[in-house]
C-alpha cells in the first residue's frame, strides 16, 4: 500500500481526494497496489465531510511521517507551497502538483532537489488541466525535435471569444456572463490579460527545448482590445480569433509569446470552442499532434494529478526523469518574427494605404470611415515602423501562419 497526502482541500485538492476514493478499484488494478490517502492538510475544518477522518492542520505531521511516500500539492501560489514542496522532496517524498505558478518559477530547482533525493516532481496538471500534454512531451515525443507549440491554454478567454463571435456580444458583456457562470474570477486579469496562458506556454517551452523560459521574458498580450468588429472582418476570411500561447524554433532562433491571432479553418485549433483547450505540437519527424479537452475544472485537473501519483507510485525510490535545465533559453526578439497582419485603419483611401503598407489584401467595409486589410509577410519591427508612420491604425491582430 502506498500512502498519499494532499496539501490543500480547495477545488483541486478535494477533487484529488474524490478521484482517489471513487476510482480506487480501477487505480489498484492498473497500479498493482493500493493508494491510500493518509492525510489532508488544510487550515479549515469540514463538518460532515469524509475528509474529517484524515484532516490535519500541521504540515509537519505529513513531512515527518515516513509512511507518506507521495504528496499532492494543490494549494496554489508560491508561498507556502514552495517551502512545503521543497521540504517534502528533501524528505524523499515525491510531489505531484497542479500549481503552474510554482512550476514556472521554481521547476528546474525542484526537479534537481527531487533527483538528489531519489524521488520525483511531476506537474501534468499545471498546464491544460485534464489534458495530457506534459507527459507526451517528455515521453511520447522524446525522440522528436519540437519545432513549435501553439495552444489555446485558457478556457475563460476561449469562452469569451467564442461568445463574442457566435452572439455578437461585446467583451464586457460576455466577461460579466463568464463571471456569473464561474468561468472567470472576480478579478479576471490573469485570464483576459494573458498571464495564465503565459505561465503555461513558459512551462511547455521549457520542456520542449530543455532550458528555462521565464514568463517575465515573454511578450504577453490579452484579449481586452478584441471587438465584435474584428470578428466581422474575420468572418469574411472564414476565420476566427483565438488567444494563443506560442513557442517556435525556426532557423536556429526561439520565439515565445501570448497574443490573439486570426485563425483560418485549415488550422486544427480553429474548431476549439467554449471553455475547451487544445495544444498543437509540430515536430520534425512526426509532424502535427493535437491534445484536446477541458483545460480546467475540479475533476479534470484532479484526474491529471492522480495520473502523476500513479506514475510516482510505480517509481518509488527512483526519479521520473524530466529535462529542464535552469539555464535560460535565449529567446530571439519578437521584432525578428515574420508574419502577416490583419490591420484596421481610420481611412478608406486605398491608394494611400497601399502606398504606406505595400501590397495588401483589402476586406469588405464593415464600419463606415475605416478599412480592414491583410498585409504581406513582414517582420514585427517592419510592421511597427510602418504603423507608426501611418498614424491611423485602429487595431492590429496577427495572422497565424
Amino acid at each position: 500500500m502506498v500512502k498519499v497526502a494532499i496539501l490543500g482541500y480547495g477545488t483541486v485538492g478535494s477533487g484529488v481526494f474524490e478521484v482517489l476514493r471513487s476510482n480506487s478499484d480501477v487505480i489498484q488494478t492498473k497500479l498493482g497496489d493500493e493508494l491510500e490517502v493518509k492525510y489532508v492538510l488544510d487550515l479549515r475544518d469540514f463538518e460532515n465531510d469524509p475528509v474529517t477522518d484524515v484532516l490535519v492542520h500541521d504540515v509537519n505531521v505529513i513531512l515527518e511521517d515516513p509512511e507518506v511516500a507521495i504528496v499532492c500539492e494543490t494549494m496554489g501560489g508560491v508561498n507556502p507551497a514552495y517551502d512545503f514542496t521543497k521540504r517534502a522532496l528533501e524528505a524523499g517524498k515525491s510531489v505531484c502538483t497542479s500549481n503552474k505558478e510554482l512550476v514556472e518559477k521554481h521547476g528546474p530547482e525542484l526537479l534537481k532537489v527531487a533527483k538528489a533525493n531519489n524521488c520525483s516532481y511531476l506537474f501534468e496538471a499545471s498546464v491544460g488541466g485534464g489534458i495530457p500534454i506534459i507527459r507526451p512531451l517528455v515521453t511520447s515525443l522524446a525522440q522528436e525535435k519540437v519545432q513549435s507549440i501553439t495552444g489555446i491554454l485558457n478556457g475563460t478567454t476561449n469562452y469569451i471569444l467564442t461568445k463574442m463571435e457566435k452572439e455578437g456580444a461585446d467583451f464586457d458583456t460576455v466577461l460579466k456572463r463568464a463571471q456569473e457562470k464561474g468561468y472567470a474570477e472576480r478579478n479576471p486579469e490573469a485570464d483576459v490579460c494573458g498571464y495564465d496562458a503565459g505561465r503555461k506556454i513558459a512551462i511547455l517551452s521549457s520542456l520542449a527545448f530543455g532550458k528555462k523560459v521565464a514568463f517575465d521574458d515573454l511578450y504577453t498580450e490579452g484579449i481586452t482590445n478584441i471587438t465584435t468588429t474584428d470578428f466581422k472582418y474575420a468572418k469574411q476570411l472564414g476565420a476566427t480569433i483565438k488567444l494563443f500561447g506560442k513557442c517556435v524554433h525556426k532557423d536556429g532562433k526561439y520565439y515565445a509569446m501570448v497574443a490573439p491571432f486570426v485563425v483560418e479553418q485549415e488550422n486544427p485549433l480553429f474548431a476549439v470552442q467554449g471553455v475547451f483547450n487544445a495544444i498543437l505540437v509540430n515536430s520534425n519527424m512526426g509532424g502535427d499532434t493535437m491534445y484536446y479537452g477541458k483545460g480546467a475544472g475540479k475533476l479534470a485537473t484532479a484526474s491529471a494529478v492522480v495520473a502523476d501519483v500513479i506514475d510516482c507510485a510505480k517509481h518509488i525510490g527512483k526519479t521520473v526523469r524530466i529535462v529542464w535545465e535552469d539555464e535560460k533559453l535565449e529567446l530571439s526578439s519578437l521584432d525578428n518574427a515574420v508574419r502577416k497582419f490583419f490591420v484596421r485603419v481610420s481611412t478608406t483611401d486605398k491608394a494611400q494605404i497601399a502606398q504606406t503598407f505595400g501590397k495588401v489584401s483589402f476586406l469588405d467595409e464593415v464600419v463606415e470611415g475605416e478599412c480592414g486589410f491583410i498585409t504581406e509577410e513582414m517582420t514585427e519591427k517592419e510592421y511597427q515602423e510602418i504603423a507608426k508612420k501611418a498614424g491611423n491604425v485602429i487595431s492590429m491582430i496577427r495572422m497565424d501562419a
Side-chain angles (χ1 to χ4, degrees):
M1 180 181 291
V2 180
K3 302 292 180 73
V4 179
I6 302 169
L7 307 185
Y9 197 64
T11 300
V12 179
S14 60
V16 171
F17 186 69
E18 183 176 342
V19 172
L20 285 169
R21 286 168 59 93
S22 299
N23 285 9
S24 60
D25 54 341
V26 176
I27 293 169
Q28 184 171 351
T29 299
K30 293 181 178 179
L31 176 61
D33 203 347
E34 185 178 352
L35 293 177
E36 179 186 274
V37 179
K38 187 170 185 180
Y39 302 112
V40 174
L41 175 74
D42 206 286
L43 295 176
R44 301 164 294 176
D45 289 307
F46 302 89
E47 293 184 11
N48 302 317
D49 189 305
V51 78
T52 301
D53 296 336
V54 294
L55 189 66
V56 295
H57 301 303
D58 182 0
V59 70
N60 291 308
V61 173
I62 295 169
L63 298 178
E64 294 172 6
D65 187 336
E67 283 194 343
V68 174
I70 303 168
V71 173
C72 301
E73 185 274 296
T74 57
M75 303 171 68
V78 175
N79 295 309
Y82 168 74
D83 177 58
F84 292 175
T85 296
K86 188 173 181 180
R87 289 171 61 194
L89 294 171
E90 288 173 338
K93 304 179 190 298
S94 290
V95 176
C96 308
T97 185
S98 58
N99 189 340
K100 59 183 169 290
E101 186 177 359
L102 180 61
V103 173
E104 186 272 322
K105 286 184 179 295
H106 297 288
E109 176 195 356
L110 294 172
L111 286 168
K112 285 182 181 178
V113 175
K115 183 178 180 181
N117 291 278
N118 299 314
C119 54
S120 298
Y121 183 56
L122 300 183
F123 39 87
E124 180 65 71
S126 67
V127 177
I131 304 172
I133 177 59
I134 290 176
R135 190 169 284 105
L137 268 183
V138 300
T139 58
S140 304
L141 300 178
Q143 75 284 0
E144 296 277 358
K145 292 181 180 178
V146 173
Q147 296 173 323
S148 68
I149 299 176
T150 303
I152 296 170
L153 299 170
N154 183 274
T156 300
T157 51
N158 204 49
Y159 171 85
I160 291 171
L161 292 174
T162 299
K163 290 298 182 182
M164 288 177 68
E165 177 184 29
K166 300 299 182 185
E167 300 177 8
D170 63 30
F171 173 82
D172 290 333
T173 299
V174 179
L175 172 59
K176 184 177 180 182
R177 194 185 312 166
Q179 290 171 319
E180 291 169 351
K181 288 180 174 290
Y183 296 149
E185 300 291 340
R186 181 174 297 179
N187 178 0
E189 184 180 62
D191 293 327
V192 300
C193 293
Y195 306 150
D196 176 77
R199 290 191 174 90
K200 293 173 181 176
I201 198 63
I203 293 169
L204 293 178
S205 303
S206 300
L207 295 174
F209 305 126
K211 295 182 180 179
K212 185 173 179 60
V213 175
F215 164 66
D216 292 339
D217 294 338
L218 301 185
Y219 173 83
T220 306
E221 180 184 328
I223 65 167
T224 54
N225 293 324
I226 302 298
T227 67
T228 53
T229 301
D230 295 321
F231 278 106
K232 290 176 182 177
Y233 280 112
K235 187 177 181 180
Q236 293 184 35
L237 299 166
T240 188
I241 300 169
K242 301 290 186 185
L243 183 73
F244 280 168
K246 182 183 283 285
C247 61
V248 178
H249 182 206
K250 186 176 182 180
D251 299 328
K253 296 178 180 179
Y254 297 91
Y255 302 92
M257 66 184 300
V258 174
F261 282 83
V262 175
V263 184
E264 297 186 282
Q265 292 186 31
E266 302 78 49
N267 190 319
L269 297 171
F270 171 87
V272 179
Q273 298 185 357
V275 296
F276 282 84
N277 286 190
I279 302 103
L280 181 67
V281 181
N282 178 267
S283 49
N284 69 327
M285 296 297 171
D288 288 339
T289 54
M290 192 168 93
Y291 308 84
Y292 169 84
K294 287 187 176 180
K298 175 178 176 176
L299 294 179
T301 304
S303 179
V305 175
V306 174
D308 280 346
V309 171
I310 293 170
D311 207 0
C312 288
K314 291 177 178 177
H315 297 89
I316 297 291
K318 300 178 182 178
T319 301
V320 177
R321 180 173 169 76
I322 296 177
V323 179
W324 183 355
E325 299 298 329
D326 208 13
E327 178 187 351
K328 273 197 173 186
L329 183 73
E330 185 177 343
L331 295 177
S332 182
S333 169
L334 198 61
D335 287 348
N336 302 320
V338 176
R339 56 175 53 91
K340 295 180 180 181
F341 300 85
F342 160 61
V343 185
R344 291 166 54 201
V345 294
S346 57
T347 180
T348 56
D349 187 337
K350 293 185 177 181
Q352 183 189 59
I353 292 169
Q355 185 177 2
T356 305
F357 284 88
K359 186 179 179 181
V360 300
S361 300
F362 289 103
L363 301 174
D364 294 338
E365 183 180 300
V366 169
V367 176
E368 186 176 349
E370 74 167 58
C371 192
F373 56 90
I374 309 297
T375 71
E376 290 290 280
E377 284 193 342
M378 61 180 72
T379 66
E380 292 261 354
K381 184 178 181 180
E382 287 170 339
Y383 166 76
Q384 294 296 340
E385 289 173 348
I386 293 171
K388 184 177 180 181
K389 179 182 176 183
N392 58 2
V393 173
I394 298 170
S395 67
M396 174 275 285
I397 304 176
R398 295 163 180 87
M399 300 290 295
D400 190 56

